[in-house]
Amino acid sequence: MLVHEALARGLAALGVTHVFGVMGDANLFIIDSFTRTVGGTYVPAASEGSAVLAAMGYAQASGGLGVATVTHGPGLTNTITALVEGSRSRTPMLLLAGDTPADSVNHIQNIGQLELAGAAEVGFQQVRSAQSAAADLIEAARRAWAERLPVVVNIPIDLQWQDAGDDADLRAAADGEPVPATPELIEDGVAVIASANRPLVLAGRGASDARAKAALVELAHRIGAPLATTLRGKDLFAGEPSAIGIFGTLSDERALEVIGRADCVIAFGCGLNMWTSAEGALLKGKRVVHVNTDCGALNRYNAVTVAIPGDAASVAGAFVALLDEGEIEATRFSEGLVRPSEEPAGDLAGDTGTEDGLDLRVALDLVDRGFPSDRTLVIDNGRFIHHAFTRLHVPEPKAYVHAVNFGSLGLAMGTAFGASYANPDRPVLVACGDGGFAMGGLSDLTFMAQQHRNITVVIFNDSAYGAEYVQLANRGMDPSATTFVWRDFGPVAEALGAIGFTVRSAQELRDALERASSADGSKLIDIRIKTKYV
């Protein structure tokens, strides 16, 4: 067995069915073996960065291991921003990167790939020899799951055609069973909960499967607690009477009032990061019980009262059992809560738009209502983002794919491309600004259209880098350097093989959404937004 065949078989042993990439000298034979020998699907991406983003989007939407591949030198340097995004999102994925021959120090594409991986805050697994190639790949996958991060698998080009041996170790690296919570920690957690007068249950993406949801709802009912989620757990408790929406900097006034009154937060499957905790302000003066299978997330951003390694469903169930055994009465904190609603957007029917376009909030509400509700949602960074986070909804947290962990513009398109392969029956909605779309959206849209992905890209187009515009304007400075004059993106999308629309009124947007929802392939809606900065 040759090394490129052993690596392909190793991917199959790991359960990998899709690899996203850009082909080059140092990875083309691995790609060929993956498709021809083990029947895998290779998905060509618009750029190396987009390939990594696609693998991360696939991993988030599927819950599995994402895999991308690039060649050496610039193939790897072009992935750096995307790799940092993956590291900050704690997404398990592999990047199979070719490397120049070890004895070719003057190779034009020779660069310190280990140092690049270190700068991107990701793992690095060197393929040490032809005979160790499969084992090195499996070890990289184990690390990706255990450390919750991307791992670069560094493969010197001169190894690909060497003999890997006939007994390559292809045992898969599984996403291991979570460490069970100790009885002592469970008792400590219950002691905090039982002493609370106004407890609140908070769920993140790590507690968003059906079993965990049922257990957390039962716990909240048992102790009389409101239910909240992080952004990445958005809409988990939609429809629950005691749900207050998002906990954190995106909370509305009524949610903040409930959070402010709470004296105890029982958090499951989240990191309690600076946005969820408002840099610690929303947890100040509260006792906190923090449960997470990812031990690295415990006490990472905020010190808590009790930190419990364990899965949400099991720990919540154990809490309820001990509360019942101790005959602890429920609080009345959740009684009479009114579910916070979004800020009214005004009379939708009466907003016909102007020559400048639509109000942003009206546009977002129309998109949310006019696009199929069973969707995958990816939101890019941009000034529109805070309204988009709260006004665009998903059927379950797994359907929300986060693409702004590094605070970069322009990462949503590649991420959405990969997510569309994870759940092909679910249409993908991408929300982005004009600045973010311009950073790479045209090339990504070309590949979406070529591969006939069911993706609708909605551009909230204010013809500016809006956040920077506001900062300059608020100081009485000239903001003109932040503005753009775009041609209509709708006809451009048509030229690239997608279906395109440019809209400036509510009715035009409704018509475009209706047509886009019933059409096959990739679509783009360029929504011209009123240049009003509030």
Side-chain angles (χ1 to χ4, degrees), residues 1-3 5-7 9-10 13 130-136 138 163-171:
M1 189 187 303
L2 300 175
V3 166
E5 296 171 327
L7 291 170
R9 292 183 185 277
Q131 289 70 38
S132 72
D136 293 331
I138 300 301
D163 185 3
D166 295 328
D167 56 349
D169 186 354
L170 300 180
R171 290 174 293 178

Side-chain angles (χ1 to χ4, degrees), residues 40-398:
T41 298
Y42 168 67
V43 182
S47 67
E48 290 91 350
S50 292
V52 170
L53 293 170
M56 290 191 294
Y58 181 90
Q60 284 195 54
S62 69
L65 183 70
V67 180
T69 182
V70 299
T71 191
H72 42 45
L76 183 60
T77 62
N78 287 340
T79 69
I80 298 301
T81 298
L83 284 174
V84 177
E85 173 73 15
S87 173
R88 300 287 172 90
S89 69
R90 299 181 67 78
T91 300
M93 68 156 288
L94 300 180
L95 174 59
L96 276 60
D99 198 359
T100 54
D103 60 356
S104 182
V105 294
N106 294 318
H107 193 292
I108 190 174
Q109 293 187 340
N110 182 40
I111 195 169
Q113 301 200 163
L114 170 62
E115 289 76 14
L116 286 171
E121 304 173 355
V122 300
F124 187 86
Q125 185 73 35
Q126 179 68 43
V127 172
R128 298 160 295 161
S129 68
Q131 289 70 38
S132 72
D136 293 331
L137 175 69
I138 300 301
E139 172 60 14
R142 185 200 65 76
R143 289 184 58 196
W145 282 117
E147 300 173 34
R148 311 298 298 183
L149 86 172
V151 176
V152 174
V153 183
N154 202 62
I155 311 163
I157 188 172
D158 48 331
L159 292 185
Q160 288 193 51
W161 287 90
Q162 292 184 22
D163 185 3
D166 295 328
D167 56 349
D169 186 354
L170 300 180
R171 290 174 293 178
D175 183 6
E177 290 293 321
V179 177
T182 65
E184 292 79 12
L185 284 175
I186 295 291
E187 291 172 2
D188 290 345
V190 168
V192 172
I193 296 167
S195 65
N197 295 312
R198 296 176 301 280
L200 184 150
V201 172
L202 170 63
R205 186 181 180 87
S208 61
D209 61 72
R211 182 168 164 261
K213 176 183 176 180
L216 298 195
V217 169
E218 181 185 8
L219 172 63
H221 289 172
R222 174 63 183 77
I223 62 177
L227 288 157
T229 74
T230 65
L231 170 63
R232 296 188 69 181
K234 70 189 270 94
D235 297 318
L236 176 65
F237 300 123
E240 287 291 331
S242 61
I244 64 168
I246 294 176
F247 183 116
T249 54
L250 293 170
S251 297
D252 65 18
E253 290 184 5
R254 282 175 285 185
L256 286 173
E257 191 274 333
V258 174
I259 294 166
R261 290 173 55 209
D263 62 3
C264 173
V265 174
I266 311 129
F268 297 86
C270 61
L272 295 177
N273 63 30
M274 59 185 293
W275 295 280
T276 299
S277 69
E279 297 186 342
L282 296 182
L283 301 179
K284 188 175 182 180
K286 299 172 173 44
R287 304 189 80 191
V288 179
V289 178
H290 191 190
V291 181
N292 206 314
T293 56
D294 181 359
C295 296
L298 298 172
N299 285 308
R300 184 179 185 188
Y301 296 102
N302 290 278
V304 300
T305 313
V306 181
I308 305 177
D311 73 284
S314 299
V315 174
F319 285 165
V320 170
L322 272 185
L323 290 164
D324 288 345
E325 183 180 325
E327 299 182 348
I328 306 299
E329 292 187 4
T331 72
R332 303 180 68 179
F333 187 39
S334 64
E335 291 183 7
L337 289 178
V338 178
R339 169 72 170 90
S341 58
E342 288 104 6
E343 175 189 354
D347 182 2
L348 294 182
D351 191 315
T352 57
T354 67
E355 186 175 321
D356 290 330
L358 279 160
D359 178 89
L360 172 61
R361 288 161 292 188
V362 171
L364 282 162
D365 287 347
L366 287 171
V367 170
D368 189 55
R369 299 172 189 182
F371 194 82
S373 58
D374 186 23
R375 67 184 69 150
T376 295
L377 172 65
V378 187
I379 302 175
D380 200 36
N381 203 3
R383 191 170 185 279
F384 71 97
I385 195 171
H386 290 91
H387 289 303
F389 279 154
T390 56
R391 291 178 179 272
L392 298 177
H393 298 282
V394 288
E396 57 176 342
K398 187 177 173 182

Side-chain angles (χ1 to χ4, degrees), residues 367-448:
V367 170
D368 189 55
R369 299 172 189 182
F371 194 82
S373 58
D374 186 23
R375 67 184 69 150
T376 295
L377 172 65
V378 187
I379 302 175
D380 200 36
N381 203 3
R383 191 170 185 279
F384 71 97
I385 195 171
H386 290 91
H387 289 303
F389 279 154
T390 56
R391 291 178 179 272
L392 298 177
H393 298 282
V394 288
E396 57 176 342
K398 187 177 173 182
Y400 170 63
V401 180
H402 198 59
V404 290
N405 296 279
F406 191 27
S408 174
L409 292 174
L411 305 188
M413 292 288 287
T415 304
F417 181 56
S420 73
Y421 281 91
N423 292 295
D425 295 331
R426 190 174 256 173
V428 178
L429 173 63
V430 186
C432 58
D434 48 299
F437 178 77
M439 287 188 171
L442 292 176
S443 55
D444 285 324
L445 182 63
T446 300
F447 275 70
M448 291 174 180

